[in-house]
Amino acid sequence: MTAPRRIATFDHDGLVFDVRDTGPLDGDVVVLLHGFPQTGASWADTAALLHQRGYRTIVPDQRGYSPRARPRGRFAYRSSRLVADTVALIDTLGTGPVHLVGHDWGAVAAWSTAARRPDLVTSLTTVSVPHPGAFLRAMLGSDQLVRSYYMFLFQLPWLPELAIRSRPRVLERTLAGTGMTPAQIDQVRQDIVRGGALTGGLNWYRAMVFNHPAALRARVTVPTTHVWSDGDTALSRRSAELAGQYVDAAYRLEILSGVSHWVPEEAATTLAAIIDRTATDAASRPV
């Protein structure tokens, strides 16, 4: 294995992805995948705390968000391409298996990557969004369907973008209702709406119809922790409770009290400790 080197970008599918590579260069690698409607900047607080624990963090701006990685059309955002992006990033690092962490849509990509390429993942920590199979089952047996109403609205072409750009106060009230702070909302305006990433982010939702049904049954075979917060307006407790049924390895469910959906920023200290514990436990298990 060659000596580790910093990366600022990686290439895949003819696209160029921006990457934040920080922390001790010789530390164990934690890859942090962001969700909607945010960029990798949402991981800043958690990453800084992981650096204090000796980890090197790799935080990409994902497909649809990096300015040079915004393909047209929703088909380009199907799950297989998101997994392939993550695999390309890990291969670019050349460090071997990583500790993989994802929040929101980043959690979906992380679940799928761990299921399809367990050889590249030492441990998995997912935040807010459970395994796709658990999410679907929760929609059929809890209030998850009602909580997910916006996902159906996002399927419409161009109308969500028009509504968000023409009625900014509606966006502000909606995000504030989920627990976002004014500073976070300003970041969404700057990075996503004004920054040109809105359609790319929405295309993750629009590509759901192209995802293979096998993803709903895919098993994860690496040590996993799922994190759910009881102030999450988008994800039900039932979805979190079902997630472990798709893991054939050491598994832990962590429930955070009084925390909104935006866990990486609102509960960074707790989340960094959870990631560290999951990584440490996985590394100490016999091969």
Side-chain angles (χ1 to χ4, degrees):
M1 186 179 296
T2 60
R5 59 181 179 81
R6 295 289 184 196
I7 66 169
T9 63
F10 74 97
D11 301 341
H12 181 242
D13 259 359
L15 308 172
V16 181
F17 297 79
D18 296 327
V19 179
R20 297 167 179 82
D21 177 354
T22 48
L25 189 58
D26 60 351
D28 288 348
V29 175
V30 178
V31 173
L32 301 162
L33 304 179
H34 69 83
F36 178 85
Q38 297 180 300
T39 67
S42 61
W43 284 110
D45 293 341
T46 302
L49 292 165
L50 288 171
H51 301 160
Q52 295 176 17
R53 294 174 179 268
Y55 294 99
R56 174 187 177 189
T57 61
I58 304 295
V59 188
D61 285 341
Q62 299 203 78
R63 180 176 291 240
Y65 296 88
S66 287
R68 291 173 290 174
R70 296 173 180 171
R72 295 174 61 86
R74 57 180 180 163
F75 190 67
Y77 294 82
R78 62 199 187 279
S79 178
S80 62
R81 304 326 301 151
L82 308 179
V83 170
D85 291 341
T86 307
V87 170
L89 170 58
I90 297 172
D91 286 345
T92 299
L93 291 171
T95 58
V98 303
H99 301 291
L100 186 58
V101 183
H103 172 246
D104 190 80
W105 266 109
V108 178
W111 280 109
S112 296
T113 301
R116 298 183 193 185
R117 292 297 306 272
D119 57 307
L120 297 180
V121 180
T122 301
S123 74
L124 173 67
T125 303
T126 55
V127 188
S128 301
V129 177
H131 185 283
F135 182 76
L136 179 61
R137 288 172 60 191
M139 290 186 76
L140 301 175
S142 72
D143 66 346
Q144 185 59 61
L145 182 62
V146 175
R147 289 172 180 254
S148 301
Y149 74 93
Y150 61 93
M151 298 175 67
F152 301 97
L153 296 178
F154 288 167
Q155 299 303 311
L156 298 171
W158 65 265
L159 282 174
E161 289 94 325
L162 178 62
I164 288 171
R165 292 191 179 104
S166 63
R167 304 187 67 183
R169 290 187 179 275
V170 173
L171 175 66
E172 179 179 336
R173 288 196 298 269
T174 300
L175 293 177
T178 69
M180 262 198 180
T181 66
Q184 288 174 295
I185 294 170
D186 284 342
Q187 197 76 46
V188 171
R189 289 197 198 96
Q190 176 180 329
D191 294 345
I192 307 303
V193 181
R194 297 171 189 157
L198 183 57
T199 295
L202 289 171
N203 277 343
W204 286 53
Y205 293 92
R206 292 166 176 158
M208 291 172 62
V209 296
F210 300 118
N211 293 337
H212 198 285
L216 300 173
R217 304 185 300 273
R219 312 295 300 181
V220 172
T221 58
V222 301
T224 299
T225 298
H226 181 56
V227 182
W228 178 78
S229 46
D230 65 6
D232 196 322
T233 59
L235 283 305
S236 68
R237 184 184 183 110
R238 182 59 177 160
S239 71
E241 292 171 341
L242 290 169
Q245 296 185 17
Y246 296 86
V247 181
D248 297 328
Y251 175 78
R252 183 183 299 114
L253 172 61
E254 296 277 0
I255 296 178
L256 308 185
S257 298
V259 177
S260 76
H261 177 78
W262 313 105
V263 178
E265 294 147 301
E266 190 174 335
T269 300
T270 300
L271 182 55
I274 291 170
I275 295 168
D276 181 30
R277 180 180 175 184
T278 305
T280 300
D281 288 351
S284 65
R285 292 180 182 276
V287 179

